[in-house]
Amino acid sequence: RLRVGDIVQLKSGGPQMTVIRTDVVQVGWDEPGVTCTWFAGAKNERGTFLPDALVPASEEAPKK
């Protein structure tokens, strides 16, 4: 189970992200989402993902 403050990546790779919220209700999703934040250069980004799409960053998701 993911917790606020965990460092994660998408299973498909990409930047490391920090979990900032869990159990986010998304219309049309079968389960709650996880909201994460990360930096793209100097720009702070944010997105909500299904938990099954994320892995702890220490599990070495593929680099993109």
Side-chain angles (χ1 to χ4, degrees), residues 1-58:
R1 178 164 164 86
L2 296 171
R3 295 180 170 182
V4 171
D6 286 352
I7 307 299
V8 297
Q9 283 182 285
L10 289 170
K11 285 182 179 178
S12 60
Q16 291 187 354
M17 305 179 287
T18 303
V19 175
I20 58 171
R21 194 164 171 208
T22 60
D23 299 328
V24 178
V25 176
Q26 293 287 321
V27 175
W29 287 13
D30 293 335
E31 60 184 303
V34 175
T35 300
C36 301
T37 187
W38 67 96
F39 283 94
K43 186 176 179 190
N44 185 249
E45 300 282 351
R46 183 181 290 195
T48 302
F49 308 93
L50 287 169
D52 288 345
L54 302 170
V55 294
S58 61

